[in-house]
Amino acid sequence: MSIPANPITRRLALPGWSVLRFSLTLVAGALLAAAIVTGVLVVFWIGIPVAVFVLLAIRVWANTQRRVIGEQLGVHIPAPYRPRSKGRFDQQALWLIREAATWRDFAWLAIDATLGFLVNLLYLGVFGIAVYYLVQPLLLATVFHAAPSPFVNDFGFYEFDSPAKTLMLVPFALACGVAWWRWGELLLRWYAHLGVLLLGPTAKALLTERVSELRQARDQTAGHAAAELRRIERDLHDGAQARIAALSLTLGMAEELLSQNRPGQAAALVGEARQACSDALEEIRQLVRGIHPPVLADRGFTGALQAMALDHPLPVSVVDRLVDKLPAPLEAAAYFATNEVLTNITKHAEATQVQVVVNREQDQVVIEVRDDGVGGASFSAGGGLDGVRRRLAAFDGTVNVDSPEGGPTVVTMTIPAAAVAPGGAHNAARSNPG
């Protein structure tokens, strides 16, 4: 559930969200009281497991706040916690207390139990007053016309106890309604942004996480490069090198036959050697194509996509709206990633048609591969999509998969456009059904 995008429906939905936030402030008050009591009990042994329980309960409450505030603002607030420590209660309590995110949660707990209570009470109070005094004259004139009035409007200086008298309060209700409509959402959004500052990860935590991701991507890229080098060495040794060695032996036998004045048999061996040479050249070409396809160097990313579509066993349409030339390493990564996704579709999707859309969205290059197959695609260790994710991680790219059971499947590969060199050869937008 999220806040509607339409301004009118969003404002009408906000009272419900405020009720939810108000209930969370009541929970915050209870947790704050429990935390204070636990701080007194922690000097005794019984207070240690209670402290662990209370701190974990505060984390559950904070995660709920992150989800609610994130849905209200339309943002994602990641949990800033490190992996939980295992061990005795005292070790877990010490680990929780030492983590900075725990104290930020506690700070937001104290703020939400006090300021949050007042903010949501003010918002709901103004909304309630506007509704109450707008409908009161109608209720007194209809439903409660013959019955004793259940409404008490004694302001001390005057008692509004009849429909005519309560009409005098309508301007006050309208003023509250205008104030709620004009400033109520701003008040709630201001308070929600305050929550993002405390509940979200700090700049240091984000930097640490980013360094860890880059280190992991570097290690994966280095491992992938080492595996590729081993594959190339194996293919050369078992393929082209063996053929060239056999070719050398065949030519040696032909030379010996010529020295024995047996030209017919020597000519046959020379013919075999020629065929073996052609086979070795073809293997080397295939090997080079796996390292860097010549079509990328000759025709660029657009031409390579078109060639890939023509060679695919399924009908593949390519829509390329990218107007900048990609640098060679990034171009190769995008080519092989797209090729791997198309290979996965051939093996597992049971699709009848595929569409590849390449676009530029502000500072990103986005490649979408869509198929009408059976769906159910997901990341699995060592699988094709996992390999695509690891390949693009070296360029700070991401892969998202939307593949419900029954299809269709959309694989979206996003690469930062900072890696795109502007002013290169233009890739014309086109569609080419394969």
Side-chain angles (χ1 to χ4, degrees):
M1 182 177 65
S2 60
I3 291 290
N6 183 276
I8 296 177
T9 55
R10 185 175 64 245
R11 283 184 170 86
L12 295 177
L14 277 176
W17 282 82
S18 185
V19 170
L20 176 60
R21 295 295 307 280
F22 187 74
S23 64
L24 289 176
T25 63
L26 299 180
V27 175
L31 288 175
L32 182 62
I36 294 173
V37 173
T38 303
V40 177
L41 293 177
V42 79
V43 296
F44 307 101
W45 186 90
I46 189 63
I48 296 178
V50 173
V52 173
F53 174 79
V54 170
L55 290 175
L56 292 179
I58 291 175
R59 287 199 169 188
V60 174
W61 171 85
N63 283 329
T64 304
Q65 287 272 19
R66 290 184 182 94
R67 185 173 63 255
V68 172
I69 293 175
E71 290 174 348
Q72 180 182 346
L73 297 179
V75 298
H76 172 65
I77 307 176
Y81 308 123
R82 294 175 298 172
R84 182 180 172 183
S85 174
K86 302 294 183 181
R88 302 191 309 269
F89 279 117
D90 57 339
Q91 294 173 338
Q92 293 189 44
L94 188 61
W95 172 79
L96 288 169
I97 291 173
R98 285 178 174 175
E99 188 168 8
T102 299
W103 294 101
R104 292 168 65 84
D105 287 350
F106 191 81
W108 180 244
L109 184 75
I111 292 174
D112 200 54
T114 52
L115 179 61
F117 179 86
L118 296 177
V119 167
N120 288 281
L121 184 64
L122 175 63
Y123 177 86
L124 292 173
V126 173
F127 175 76
I129 289 174
V131 175
Y132 177 76
Y133 287 116
L134 280 176
V135 302
Q136 188 182 25
L138 181 62
L139 292 176
L140 288 177
T142 55
V143 179
F144 301 103
H145 177 69
S149 172
F151 303 102
V152 177
N153 300 301
D154 187 1
F155 285 78
F157 61 90
Y158 191 77
E159 185 173 345
F160 301 88
D161 56 358
S162 67
K165 291 179 180 180
T166 54
L167 286 174
M168 300 170 60
L169 296 174
V170 171
F172 175 63
L174 291 175
C176 290
V178 171
W180 167 78
W181 187 268
R182 178 64 181 84
W183 294 295
E185 183 181 6
L186 296 178
L187 177 66
L188 292 184
R189 291 184 68 86
W190 165 80
Y191 185 68
H193 281 291
L194 180 62
V196 172
L197 293 178
L198 283 175
L199 293 175
T202 61
K204 181 179 178 181
L206 290 174
L207 180 60
T208 302
E209 181 181 3
R210 185 63 187 140
V211 170
S212 178
E213 290 177 354
L214 290 176
R215 184 182 295 113
Q216 184 179 8
R218 181 202 62 192
D219 294 341
Q220 290 176 346
T221 303
H224 179 73
E228 283 293 299
L229 287 176
R230 289 193 296 270
R231 182 187 66 83
I232 293 170
E233 181 183 7
R234 184 175 62 251
D235 290 348
L236 284 174
H237 181 272
D238 298 341
Q241 182 176 334
R243 288 185 180 276
I244 293 174
L247 174 63
S248 177
L249 291 175
T250 302
L251 290 175
M253 294 171 60
E255 183 180 14
E256 184 177 350
L257 289 173
L258 286 174
S259 65
Q260 297 175 2
N261 198 22
R262 297 161 65 182
Q265 295 178 348
L269 289 178
V270 170
E272 292 180 9
R274 180 180 180 184
Q275 182 60 44
C277 183
S278 299
D279 294 340
L281 286 175
E282 181 60 26
E283 284 196 11
I284 293 174
R285 290 193 186 98
Q286 293 292 337
L287 183 61
V288 171
R289 188 175 294 113
I291 300 173
H292 188 82
V295 68
L296 277 177
D298 297 339
R299 300 171 58 188
F301 187 58
T302 296
L305 282 181
Q306 299 291 338
M308 189 189 305
L310 292 173
D311 292 339
H312 200 269
L314 296 175
V316 179
S317 62
V318 176
V319 180
D320 188 357
R321 302 189 182 98
L322 186 65
V323 296
D324 297 324
K325 182 174 176 56
L326 299 176
L330 184 61
E331 192 175 63
Y335 173 85
F336 284 117
T338 306
N339 188 49
E340 181 63 33
V341 173
L342 291 176
T343 302
N344 274 8
I345 293 173
T346 305
K347 292 180 179 179
H348 310 293
E350 300 180 20
T352 59
Q353 58 182 357
V354 184
Q355 183 182 45
V356 180
V357 180
V358 185
N359 208 346
R360 175 76 175 266
E361 295 182 2
Q362 297 180 352
D363 59 345
Q364 294 178 329
V365 173
V366 180
I367 305 172
E368 285 188 354
V369 183
R370 308 170 184 171
D371 69 74
D372 60 351
V374 296
S378 61
F379 294 102
S380 59
L385 291 177
D386 185 58
V388 171
R389 180 167 57 183
R390 286 187 283 106
R391 183 185 292 273
L392 295 186
F395 299 91
D396 205 16
T398 59
V399 181
N400 293 318
V401 178
D402 181 12
S403 182
E405 290 294 337
T409 296
V410 180
V411 178
T412 304
M413 296 170 283
T414 305
I415 308 172
V420 178
H426 293 290
N427 294 330
R430 68 192 63 168
S431 178
N432 179 26

